[in-house]
């Protein structure tokens, strides 16, 4: 029903910036929450940031002040702007779209931060 396609992952040096983008196709509920999660090797997937259709944002403590999230409700896209990147930000980043009884994930994109 819904497909999420991500782009923007790659290798970046510590202190650098990277922008991840996700395009959702299919039938997306207007009030769906969009967000980003990440998973490092050997660890559970963790929540990074979310944004509501009205633009209200929430961030994990580990990324507050460094990451921002934005969305375009017309294009059904969500982006994660990552700044002041640290090696501990290295993970596979997943795009997510959620509303009641619906939860969709992107394929994941690798972000590697070198020291």
């Amino acid at each position: 029903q819904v497909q999420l396609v991500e782009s923007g992952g790659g290798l970046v040096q510590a202190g650098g910036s990277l922008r991840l983008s996700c395009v959702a196709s299919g039938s997306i509920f207007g009030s769906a929450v969009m967000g980003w999660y990440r998973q490092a090797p050997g660890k559970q997937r963790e929540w990074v940031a979310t944004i509501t259709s009205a633009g209200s944002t929430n961030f994990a403590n580990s990324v507050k002040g460094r990451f921002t999230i934005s969305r375009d409700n017309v294009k059904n896209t969500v982006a994660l702007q990552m700044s002041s990147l640290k090696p501990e930000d290295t993970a596979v980043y997943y795009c997510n779209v959620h509303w009641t009884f619906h939860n969709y994930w992107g394929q994941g994109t690798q972000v590697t931060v070198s020291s």
Side-chain angles (χ1 to χ4, degrees), residues 23-103:
V23 179
S25 62
S27 183
I28 306 297
F29 188 62
S31 61
V33 175
M34 307 182 78
W36 293 89
Y37 292 70
R38 67 187 183 186
Q39 187 170 25
K43 298 183 179 180
Q44 291 191 209
R45 187 177 299 181
E46 66 175 349
W47 166 70
V48 175
T50 46
I51 182 168
T52 69
S53 60
S56 180
T57 61
N58 286 284
F59 298 91
N61 289 333
S62 59
V63 305
K64 284 182 179 178
R66 300 189 299 118
F67 291 10
T68 61
I69 186 170
S70 60
R71 66 187 287 170
D72 186 325
N73 291 331
V74 175
K75 297 180 179 180
N76 285 328
T77 60
V78 60
L80 184 70
Q81 178 65 52
M82 305 182 293
S83 300
S84 301
L85 283 163
K86 305 174 181 179
E88 52 262 44
D89 294 319
T90 296
V92 177
Y93 283 70
Y94 297 90
C95 176
N96 173 259
V97 176
H98 170 76
W99 69 97
T100 305
F101 303 120
H102 297 267
N103 194 29

